Amino acid sequence: MPDRYAVIGHPVAHSRSPWIHAQFARATGEDIEYGAIDVPPAEFAHAVERFRSQSGKGLNVTLPFKLEAFRLCAETSARAAAAQAVNTLVLDRAHLYGDNTDGAGLVRDLTVNLGRPLAGERVLLLGAGGAAQGVLAPLAEAGAAGIVIANRTVPRAEALARRVPGAEACGFDALAGRSFRLVINATSAGLQGELPPLPPGLFGAGALAYDMVYGRDTEFLAMARAAGAATADGLGMLVEQAAESFLVWRGVRPETRAVLAALRAP
Ligand code: NAP
């Protein structure tokens, strides 16, 4: 019997994670099966327990459950504790254990796949939800300097900025007159075909605009392209966070290059 894993969220029908983990399993020879579990918001904790009682070994947690997953865990990794959000549950320990691989995935996509070193880079992070929470400390640890967090709900950005020394918080209007070489969109605006109200002139010379949303050309990426910035969607982050979760569960880090290339192939 293969070991059982799954992604859990609402909705998850669109998820590429089962396909990605199937490629990782084939490439590494690990005997796993990986499915998708869609649960209504009120039933998350119950669904985790049910999967665990059916000998499930691990879960990837996606929207909207990352914060609830953190609260459910009896023990977490340091990076999940810093994020106060969990995207990787380990079920075959005595206590429910949570980790967060989103930040490692983003940093690896930026630095390895996209060749953008973070040391000394001034970064604008748009959004203050679960995804922004997950990547803030890893960005700072990778050397990003003077991170600015801009969010629609400013107090949320302020609460997040207090977690990392030197981070600054503001609303979108306060970005007028400022420019950055790396702008990361961690809002979910692109999922609804929307764009945060960003002032012109945000993208400095040689800037990269990175949207965590993947699989669609968002308004944010279109705006950045029109302003002359290089652009990247979140597909690389998705594959890299999956590889990091695979490492947490199986003790082996799969190669990601071929999987990412296959996902990007027309
Ligand atoms: P979340 O916890 O629901 O947070 C959503 C964030 O987006 C909040 O900061 C919210 O602002 C902001 N927002 C939503 N609609 C907006 C709009 N129309 N204009 C401006 N701001 C808006 O979601 P999340 O977990 O952080 O996920 C955010 C996005 O990242 C999702 O699209 C998700 O798919 C993506 N993601 C991708 C990966 C990957 O591997 N590529 C990994 C994780 C997440 P308020 O605080 O004001 O509500």
Side-chain angles (χ1 to χ4, degrees), residues 177-232:
R178 304 185 71 172
S179 69
F180 300 82
R181 269 179 39 88
L182 179 55
V183 181
I184 299 169
N185 185 12
T187 76
S188 54
L191 290 180
Q192 301 113 39
E194 291 172 5
L195 175 69
L198 301 173
L202 207 54
F203 303 99
L208 172 68
Y210 189 103
D211 201 328
M212 287 193 194
V213 170
Y214 54 87
R216 65 179 80 193
D217 190 30
T218 61
E219 300 286 321
F220 171 74
L221 292 182
M223 175 206 184
R225 246 191 336 266
T231 58

Side-chain angles (χ1 to χ4, degrees), residues 12 50-51 54 63 96 98 130 151 158 170 173 181 187 206 244:
V12 285
R50 190 168 52 229
F51 190 66
Q54 294 164 350
L63 273 172
L96 189 61
N151 195 44
E158 289 169 341
C170 64
D173 52 349
R181 269 179 39 88
T187 76
E244 191 74 13

